[in-house]
Amino acid sequence: MPGTIVTFYSYKGGTGRTMAVANTAWILAMNGKRVLALDWDLESPGLHKFFRPFLDTDTVSSTDGVIEMIKNYALAMLGAGRSEHGTLLAEHAKVERHAVSLDFEFPKGGTLDFVSAGRQNRDYSSLISMDWDRFYAKLGGGQFFDALRADMRDKYDYVLLDSRTGLSDVADICTIHLPDVVVDCFTLSQQSIEGAASVAQQIEERHDRRGIRILPVPMRIELGESAKVEAGRAEVRAAFAGLPRDMTQEEAHQYLLDVEIPYRPFYAFEETLASFGEPAGSPSSILAAFERLTSFITEGEVTTSPAFDDKFRLTMLERFTRKSSRAPAEILLTYVSEDRAWVDWIYLVLERAGCHVDTHCVDASPVGELQKKIDSASRTVTVLSSNFTESPRAKPTWQLLMDAHNSGQHSRMTTVRVAEARLTHPYNLITALDLGAVDEHHALSLLLAALEQTLPPSSELPQPVESSPRFPGGGQSSRPVVWNVGPRNATFTGRGGALEQLRDQLLRRGQSVVVPQALYGLGGVGKTQVALEYAHRFGSDYDLVWWISAEFKDQVNLSLAELAGKLGLSVGESVAEAAASAREALRRGHPYSRWLLVFDNADAPAELKDELPENGHVLITSRNQAWSQLAAPLEIDVFTLEESVAHLRRKVRNITHQEALDVGTALGFLPLAVEQAAAWLDSTGIPAQDYLDLLEGPET
């Protein structure tokens, strides 16, 4: 059976087209297919960079490519007679002599060969300036490409062409003359959509006889900009109405969602194959997106790529990673847990700038660790806010940082103000960068300039994708699009360590997290309050946060059914079906890929484990420690002595430190009991000692 020729085309550059060619070729070869990838972008060749760990550069540079193949045939034809035409076609329209095989053992006998655009030498630019009209009219160019097409289809199961952009004779060869399938790539910009749709229409009109299959593919989709994405999707549906052929309107709309290729900043730095860039199995990964595209190209024959062992994957990933030419800066970020959202964004920026970043949370990390971290850092960045200056641990932390800064032997210190707060002595001794009052681009520039750092030239401003943190300032709304969480506890106190662990587990591990009560086995330690604070503190990182009272399974389904309505899903009257639709929408990441679900007071894991959606952040509060078998456990304990005293002094007027300590000790620092005592003391005005006497009961 003859093979299939697939052209990847884009009207505009910057779509990620070449990346799609490389990843599709890799997935096909991993499924045992004989694959050929040709770099037909003659003016800006770059396909080879995605295969560089598996290509011998000397072999590639010494092997003729696409342009030499065409030029050699044209030169032979100049002095040939008509009778020699067939012989020359048979001799020159053979692609294998120009192909270099990748040095990788693919499963099931799969192979991946590569043909470059041409030898990159001083003669290359003159070779590509070709008179294509003359080539077709005088030298049998049409017959040459017919013969080449036949040869490629005979030798390979799939041939993938990376076509140049725009409208040109070279693009026509790739989009009209050679392919069976055209993958029409575009971003959601108006110009890109219109250009891609126009080319699709031309292909339809000019080559109807062979029935080239056209697959429009939206690429570099930034899901964090949900409103703009939805507007772009509507534009795409209108522009590509009727495509792909043989699909109903509903099927075509679903197809366009399935083949969307998301933007991932990780891949902006090096040409890296997705099979090595991220583990397999996540439906929202860029690898899964390329797998879905491959499935449509092959009409369902190839749907997934075999997963690599993680150790092997990471070893191979290292071969793609560009090594820095300078030693990375060692930077220590110091902060209080209330400002963690800012720290996440700063960490992301500095990490992308090539810095080694360590962190120290004042109210969660042992004080004894700080001096060692300072000694290891070349710079320190302290995040200042009223939360920091009011923390009991702030002054000793600040003193250590200032000592290192003033000594001239250790870390230089930079301060960053992230909220409207009047900085008094000693926190005003160093002029702070005011990042909370500017937009993201300005904040990025200020931060990097102050730290004498730059982003790599090929990189872009960090954008919110997957679990990457969003910029928390610049007047951005902190409320997700979909939200049903109750009001924030204005007197929430402490729990810095617990919230730090919770954030780490959700942000960096990307898995479901359970918050069980392991110490007391009863209510009152504040599991729900920690979950509520997390939802408010980090709500701006999500597009959807949904709170579910999960004591009974029926309550869970009712809440998920209500969520289905909020998502605009078309469901019937069945609560179970509506709940299932909501879970599927969350799993697929449509319409929102950044979401948090809180299952509060969940009891039996066996009843609810099938109700937990995949592919997002799930937080569970429960007294049942059996949940730790299904999710990462995080123990919520009673207040620390410091937290108990702080909470009482915050709520009870005129209570002394010692009195607050005595009350907290008498109550075992149980948060619910401390809260109730604080409310009673404040409302009645009874002296703390009298309250303690009442707790002890009448003398016997």
Side-chain angles (χ1 to χ4, degrees):
M1 182 177 177
T4 301
I5 299 179
V6 185
T7 288
F8 286 72
Y9 170 84
S10 62
Y11 177 76
K12 297 287 290 182
T15 63
R17 182 197 69 241
T18 301
M19 182 181 185
V21 175
N23 279 281
T24 304
W26 188 268
I27 292 168
L28 290 168
M30 287 293 293
N31 280 271
K33 302 299 181 184
R34 297 171 300 157
V35 184
L36 174 66
L38 290 94
D39 194 341
W40 216 292
D41 189 353
L42 303 183
E43 293 188 352
S44 302
L47 181 58
H48 61 286
K49 294 179 181 178
F50 285 93
F51 301 138
R52 65 189 182 280
F54 317 108
L55 286 173
D56 184 283
T57 54
D58 291 337
T59 302
V60 173
S61 62
S62 62
T63 303
D64 287 347
V66 170
I67 194 63
E68 288 91 3
M69 179 170 54
I70 297 170
K71 285 285 188 176
N72 290 341
Y73 166 75
L75 290 172
M77 282 293 292
L78 286 175
R82 185 179 296 274
S83 62
E84 298 175 273
H85 193 180
T87 302
L88 291 175
L89 284 175
E91 178 183 349
H92 288 279
K94 289 188 178 299
V95 75
E96 281 187 310
R97 66 176 61 179
H98 306 283
V100 178
S101 296
L102 268 63
D103 183 16
F104 188 85
E105 188 174 342
F106 292 97
K108 306 175 187 177
T111 60
L112 178 49
D113 291 350
F114 169 71
V115 174
S116 71
R119 300 190 191 199
Q120 300 298 301
N121 53 35
R122 67 181 63 185
D123 299 322
Y124 181 78
S125 59
S126 62
L127 286 175
I128 65 172
S129 56
M130 185 163 180
D131 186 345
W132 292 102
D133 289 336
R134 183 170 181 271
F135 181 70
Y136 267 88
K138 303 293 186 181
L139 302 177
Q143 292 90 336
F144 173 78
F145 287 125
D146 286 340
L148 180 63
R149 169 180 157 80
D151 181 70
M152 292 190 296
R153 296 180 82 215
D154 179 60
K155 300 297 194 303
Y156 295 94
D157 298 316
Y158 287 93
V159 178
L160 275 56
L161 309 180
D162 186 17
S163 171
R164 66 160 296 175
T165 59
L167 303 174
S168 66
D169 294 318
V170 176
D172 278 359
I173 293 167
C174 294
T175 57
I176 302 293
H177 205 129
L178 293 175
D180 302 294
V181 180
V182 172
V183 177
D184 195 0
C185 308
F186 54 91
T187 65
L188 293 187
S189 74
Q190 190 75 29
Q191 191 177 13
S192 188
I193 294 171
E194 290 177 356
S198 175
V199 168
Q201 184 178 357
Q202 292 177 35
I203 296 171
E204 290 270 81
E205 293 171 351
R206 295 172 59 188
H207 220 298
D208 185 58
R209 68 181 185 276
R210 198 169 76 236
I212 296 173
R213 193 156 57 98
I214 302 172
L215 299 176
V217 178
M219 305 186 77
R220 292 178 67 86
I221 305 302
E222 177 45 78
L223 295 174
E225 298 290 344
S226 54
K228 292 184 180 295
V229 169
E230 287 305 319
R233 286 170 174 164
E235 186 78 17
V236 169
R237 290 193 293 268
F240 290 94
L243 291 176
R245 290 191 298 268
D246 303 322
M247 285 189 184
T248 66
Q249 185 181 68
E250 184 177 345
E251 289 171 339
H253 291 177
Q254 187 59 51
Y255 155 84
L256 287 169
L257 292 175
D258 287 339
V259 298
E260 279 187 351
I261 309 298
Y263 173 65
R264 297 288 183 265
F266 173 82
Y267 293 97
F269 300 98
E270 298 108 357
E271 292 80 3
T272 303
L273 291 170
S275 291
F276 302 109
E278 53 197 334
S282 171
S284 65
S285 68
I286 200 166
L287 173 60
F290 285 129
E291 288 174 335
R292 291 191 292 271
L293 174 58
T294 305
S295 177
F296 281 103
I297 290 171
T298 64
E299 299 185 88
E301 183 183 2
V302 174
T303 59
T304 60
S305 182
F308 292 119
D309 169 79
D310 208 45
K311 183 178 180 180
F312 173 76
R313 181 185 69 80
L314 293 174
T315 299
M316 297 305 299
L317 178 61
E318 184 66 20
R319 296 175 64 180
F320 285 93
T321 303
R322 180 174 52 214
K323 304 302 186 292
S324 175
S325 59
R326 62 184 176 88
E330 302 284 345
I331 295 179
L332 173 64
L333 272 172
T334 306
Y335 63 100
V336 291
S337 60
E338 288 92 339
D339 298 324
R340 173 62 186 269
W342 273 100
V343 171
D344 289 337
W345 181 81
I346 294 171
Y347 189 104
L348 177 68
V349 170
L350 296 180
E351 193 177 53
R352 297 235 171 104
C355 303
H356 286 165
V357 186
D358 196 3
T359 60
H360 182 84
C361 182
V362 170
D363 50 342
S365 304
V367 177
E369 293 181 358
L370 180 57
Q371 187 61 60
K372 183 178 180 181
K373 291 180 179 180
I374 292 173
D375 292 342
S376 299
S378 57
R379 300 290 292 261
T380 64
V381 177
T382 302
V383 179
L384 293 178
S385 66
S386 57
N387 297 316
F388 186 95
T389 59
E390 292 171 7
S391 170
R393 299 188 187 180
K395 283 192 176 180
T397 298
W398 181 264
Q399 190 61 54
L400 286 173
L401 292 167
M402 286 298 297
D403 288 346
H405 175 73
N406 292 329
S407 71
Q409 298 176 357
H410 296 295
S411 312
R412 286 186 293 165
M413 186 176 179
T414 299
T415 60
V416 172
R417 186 166 66 171
V418 297
E420 291 186 7
R422 183 169 175 267
L423 300 179
T424 57
H425 186 82
Y427 306 110
N428 59 358
L429 294 176
I430 296 179
T431 302
L433 300 176
D434 198 350
L435 300 190
V438 298
D439 63 24
E440 183 170 15
H441 285 273
H442 195 186
L444 180 79
S445 299
L446 287 173
L447 179 65
L448 293 177
L451 297 177
E452 302 170 336
Q453 299 296 319
T454 59
L455 292 177
S458 62
S459 69
E460 299 179 16
L461 179 69
Q463 295 292 329
V465 293
E466 292 282 342
S467 57
S468 296
R470 286 176 170 151
F471 179 67
Q476 294 183 353
S477 172
S478 61
R479 182 60 57 85
V481 179
V482 179
W483 171 270
N484 75 333
V485 181
R488 193 172 193 171
N489 182 351
T491 59
F492 182 85
T493 303
R495 303 313 184 104
L499 283 159
E500 285 290 298
Q501 291 181 60
L502 180 55
R503 181 63 170 168
D504 286 341
Q505 289 175 340
L506 284 174
L507 185 63
R508 294 173 186 168
R509 298 182 186 179
Q511 61 184 8
S512 300
V513 175
V514 63
V515 188
Q517 178 184 350
L519 183 59
Y520 285 93
L522 298 172
V525 294
K527 302 180 297 296
T528 295
Q529 290 301 315
V530 169
L532 183 65
E533 177 64 17
Y534 180 89
H536 282 276
R537 188 174 292 186
F538 299 104
S540 62
D541 252 5
Y542 301 96
D543 295 314
L544 180 156
V545 179
W546 198 252
W547 190 281
I548 299 171
S549 296
E551 190 171 1
F552 302 106
K553 185 174 181 179
D554 288 346
Q555 290 177 309
V556 173
N557 279 334
L558 282 170
S559 186
L560 288 172
E562 182 184 353
L563 176 59
K566 294 287 186 181
L567 296 177
L569 302 178
S570 178
V571 295
E573 295 183 0
S574 169
V575 170
E577 290 179 5
S581 296
R583 285 194 298 273
E584 178 62 14
L586 294 172
R587 184 191 70 79
R588 292 179 56 80
H590 294 297
Y592 303 113
S593 62
R594 299 172 65 106
W595 53 263
L596 167 70
L597 259 60
V598 181
F599 289 80
D600 185 36
N601 199 23
D603 187 17
E607 291 185 5
L608 290 181
K609 65 178 181 179
D610 295 331
E611 308 300 319
L612 304 182
E614 300 174 351
N615 198 35
H617 288 178
V618 177
L619 176 58
I620 302 159
T621 72
S622 178
R623 300 179 188 180
N624 192 339
Q625 293 188 42
W627 275 108
S628 63
Q629 302 301 313
L630 300 176
L634 176 62
E635 180 177 335
I636 299 299
D637 207 338
V638 296
F639 273 152
T640 64
L641 181 154
E642 190 177 78
E643 289 171 338
S644 178
V645 169
H647 190 73
L648 284 162
R649 298 199 70 184
R650 202 170 167 186
K651 298 200 68 173
V652 183
R653 289 163 293 182
N654 302 321
I655 193 172
T656 67
H657 181 280
Q658 186 60 50
E659 288 171 338
L661 175 59
D662 292 341
V663 170
T665 302
L667 298 172
F669 304 124
L670 184 68
L672 180 60
V674 171
E675 166 64 22
Q676 291 173 339
W680 195 72
L681 285 167
D682 186 57
S683 64
T684 63
I686 186 174
Q689 187 56 53
D690 291 351
Y691 175 78
L692 290 168
D693 292 341
L694 289 173
L695 283 181
E696 293 177 3
E699 294 183 4
T700 57

